[in-house]
C-alpha cells in the first residue's frame, strides 16, 4: 500500500490508478447497467472522481479506508456528471 502524501510522482499516480482500476470499472459498469449508456462519459467522470480522491484523501482525518473514500468520490462524480447531462438536455 502506498503512503499518502500531498505530492505523488507521475509514476506513483499511474501505479495507484492501475491498482484501483477494477474499482473504477466496477462502478462505471454498475452505472451503465442501470440504464445510462454513455460509457465513455461515465468512465471519464469516474476517473475524475478517483483523481479527486487521491488529491483529497487524508488518512489522519478520515475514518474511511482509501478504497471506501475513493468509491464515494467516484460515485459522487459520476452522479454529478449525469445530473449535469440531464440539465443540459432539459
Amino acid at each position: 500500500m502506498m503512503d499518502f502524501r500531498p505530492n505523488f510522482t507521475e509514476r506513483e499516480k499511474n501505479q495507484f490508478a492501475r491498482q484501483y482500476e477494477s474499482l473504477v470499472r466496477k462502478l462505471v459498469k454498475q452505472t451503465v447497467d442501470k440504464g445510462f449508456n454513455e460509457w465513455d462519459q461515465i468512465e471519464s467522470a469516474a476517473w475524475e472522481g478517483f483523481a479527486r480522491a487521491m488529491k483529497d484523501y487524508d488518512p489522519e482525518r478520515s475514518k474511511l479506508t482509501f478504497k471506501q473514500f475513493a468509491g464515494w468520490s467516484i460515485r459522487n462524480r459520476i452522479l454529478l456528471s449525469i445530473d449535469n447531462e440531464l440539465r443540459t438536455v432539459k
Side-chain angles (χ1 to χ4, degrees):
M1 193 57 143
M2 293 178 66
D3 292 331
F4 281 89
R5 56 185 195 270
N7 297 312
F8 288 104
T9 66
E10 285 302 312
R11 183 176 181 211
E12 289 170 328
K13 288 178 186 178
N14 291 335
Q15 179 184 4
F16 217 52
R18 280 192 304 275
Q19 182 178 350
Y20 286 96
E21 183 176 9
S22 62
L23 173 65
V24 173
R25 294 212 180 262
K26 174 185 166 189
L27 295 173
V28 170
K29 184 176 180 336
Q30 286 175 354
T31 305
V32 170
D33 287 349
K34 289 180 181 178
F36 298 99
N37 297 324
E38 297 293 327
W39 179 278
D40 292 338
Q41 179 184 355
I42 293 170
E43 185 176 29
S44 177
W47 282 112
E48 287 175 23
F50 180 78
R52 183 71 183 250
M54 281 185 61
K55 179 179 170 231
D56 292 348
Y57 182 69
D58 183 354
E60 294 178 5
R61 293 180 52 203
S62 180
K63 294 180 181 179
L64 301 174
T65 64
F66 176 76
K67 187 173 182 177
Q68 292 169 323
F69 185 83
W72 174 85
S73 182
I74 292 165
R75 278 187 216 94
N76 187 40
R77 190 65 192 138
I78 289 171
L79 292 175
L80 182 62
S81 174
I82 291 169
D83 186 51
N84 287 340
E85 183 66 27
L86 291 174
R87 287 176 194 241
T88 303
V89 171
K90 287 181 181 180

